[in-house]
Amino acid sequence: MNGEGDYLRAFETPRFAQLTPNLIAASFSLMKLLPARFMVDRAHASGRLKRGGRIVETTSGTFGLAIAMISAVRGYKLTLITASTLTEPKFTRRLERLGATVLTIDDPLGDGNQRGRLDRLKQILDANPDIYWPEQYDNPENRLAYARLADLAIRSFGQIDCLVGCVGTGGSLCGTGAFLRALFPDLRIVAVDTHRSMLFGQPVGRRMLRGLGNSVLPANVQHEMIDEIHWVGALPAYAMAHALVRDNGIFAGPTSGAAALVASWFARNNPEMTTLVIMPDEGHRYVDTVYNDEWLGTLCGWPCPIPSAPVQLERVLPGEETAWTTFAWNRRTLSAVLAEQDG
């Protein structure tokens, strides 16, 4: 539409990298363009979004950038709602250059204040009912968009035995996993979260690692699909991101570092299985932080060695930012796991 053609599609098309003989990385420039464009296309086709219309969404970063790029190309007006702890001046200026209006709300607890952002969004919708809200957390179109990733992986590598990915909205892991498991019923799905995210039963608190985790529970997180859950602290994720650049030439964000850490461990311990890891974005947004030695030097616990293995938990417990823990989820619902914890 409007000549966007192959330009945006290049951002949302993964480059596959063979990290080890049985570990494949689907490395994206901007993965969130995949669901953003799918949802906008569906909204336009159904009449929910008119030409020249307005879009509103809450975002911590990359989905906001994706929807801003689409809005710029197609002429939509866009309002993005974020939290003070997620605001980065350079990134905000980039969004504004794309034509987005960025609203920032306070985040006193440091957990992203997702509830506050959603409250502000609903105020805007109540006053302007014709605005389109992609509703990335609960809209099943988010998950459906990842049929393309599953198709590309199967065409390139055949059978996939394990899928590893981070969870924020649940779209990429649960969407890709559903399509792969339809063909490969024994597919193992490994979720990666971070400490003090509520997605898998931890108490909500301040999180250093962004791009995964949540302080609300999206409907797109399908817990009963998950075989095991890993919680990765910020510092191991940063260290693994550095290793990806050094050892593989992949310049990725810390979310990708967290996913690669877990996937590398799983692949080493399951050499007979072909593992696919989803790495959602590049590292350009983090040059002043994750890839800045001066900034890293201010962090307690840095430098942090890459852990060789996670700590196995018998109960769901939060860890420190240097910790990597895991828990056997065994395809259960969240309520079933929490009931067992309380028992």
Side-chain angles (χ1 to χ4, degrees):
M1 188 178 290
N2 290 341
E4 69 190 63
D6 293 336
Y7 176 71
L8 292 186
R9 186 169 290 274
F11 280 87
E12 67 184 46
T13 301
R15 292 156 295 173
F16 290 111
Q18 193 96 36
L19 300 184
T20 67
N22 69 319
L23 176 58
I24 303 150
S27 180
F28 287 86
S29 294
L30 184 58
M31 183 187 71
K32 288 298 183 77
L33 261 170
L34 197 60
R37 179 147 68 153
F38 186 80
M39 286 189 275
V40 168
D41 284 348
R42 295 286 291 267
H44 180 80
S46 65
R48 288 172 288 159
L49 177 60
K50 306 296 185 183
R51 189 178 300 276
R54 186 178 172 195
I55 302 171
V56 63
E57 184 59 288
T58 170
T59 180
S60 60
T62 54
F63 188 85
L65 177 59
I67 210 85
M69 292 168 70
I70 293 169
S71 297
V73 171
R74 301 188 181 184
Y76 298 124
K77 294 177 281 291
L78 174 65
T79 299
L80 296 172
I81 304 169
T82 188
S84 56
T85 55
L86 307 176
T87 302
E88 303 164 20
K90 290 181 181 179
F91 190 70
T92 298
R93 286 196 296 271
R94 183 177 181 185
L95 295 173
E96 291 172 341
R97 287 287 184 185
L98 287 163
T101 298
V102 181
L103 304 180
T104 304
I105 66 169
D106 291 336
D107 183 16
L109 299 180
D111 62 0
N113 197 3
Q114 187 59 266
R115 295 189 185 280
R117 285 189 272 155
L118 287 169
D119 288 344
R120 182 71 181 94
L121 185 150
K122 288 172 182 176
Q123 290 172 5
I124 294 172
L125 288 175
D126 288 343
N128 303 272
D130 293 333
I131 294 178
Y132 170 62
W133 175 25
E135 204 171 354
Q136 59 168 319
Y137 295 147
D138 300 331
N139 186 345
E141 293 171 357
N142 184 347
R143 285 180 281 124
L144 293 174
Y146 288 93
R148 182 163 179 250
L149 173 55
D151 178 65
L152 288 171
I154 293 167
R155 289 178 184 273
S156 299
F157 302 100
Q159 180 168 329
I160 304 297
D161 301 303
C162 177
L163 177 68
V164 180
C166 294
V167 183
T169 68
S172 61
L173 184 66
C174 296
T176 308
F179 289 108
L180 289 177
R181 192 170 272 167
L183 291 176
F184 312 122
D186 294 330
L187 175 80
R188 191 164 185 85
I189 297 179
V190 178
V192 183
D193 196 1
T194 192
H195 307 295
R196 289 168 296 281
S197 158
M198 73 173 297
L199 292 179
F200 291 87
Q202 287 197 14
V204 174
R206 185 177 295 274
R207 303 191 301 276
M208 272 184 67
L209 188 58
R210 296 300 184 181
L212 73 169
N214 218 314
S215 55
V216 298
L217 187 59
N220 278 318
V221 179
Q222 307 284 292
H223 294 88
E224 64 276 14
M225 295 179 63
I226 305 303
D227 291 289
E228 61 187 83
I229 170 66
H230 291 247
W231 292 278
V232 177
L235 301 190
Y238 297 168
M240 189 65 187
H242 292 184
L244 285 171
V245 176
R246 182 181 62 249
D247 300 335
N248 302 101
I250 297 175
F251 185 47
T255 303
S256 297
L261 176 67
V262 173
S264 297
W265 171 80
F266 185 91
R268 283 196 307 273
N269 286 277
N270 298 275
E272 76 288 356
M273 299 175 69
T274 297
T275 298
L276 176 68
V277 57
I278 302 173
M279 294 170 45
D281 67 339
E282 294 183 321
H284 302 290
R285 185 180 173 189
Y286 306 97
V287 292
D288 292 331
T289 53
V290 175
Y291 291 101
N292 180 349
D293 289 337
E294 184 176 344
W295 181 85
L296 288 169
T298 67
L299 303 180
C300 181
W302 188 264
C304 175
I306 297 174
S308 59
V311 174
Q312 181 72 48
L313 299 179
E314 298 300 323
R315 296 182 59 83
V316 174
L317 296 169
E320 301 301 322
E321 292 296 349
T322 55
W324 168 22
T325 58
T326 187
F327 177 78
W329 199 264
N330 297 329
R331 305 192 189 185
R332 292 174 289 173
T333 64
L334 178 61
S335 59
V337 171
L338 293 181
E340 180 185 84
Q341 301 282 303
D342 293 337

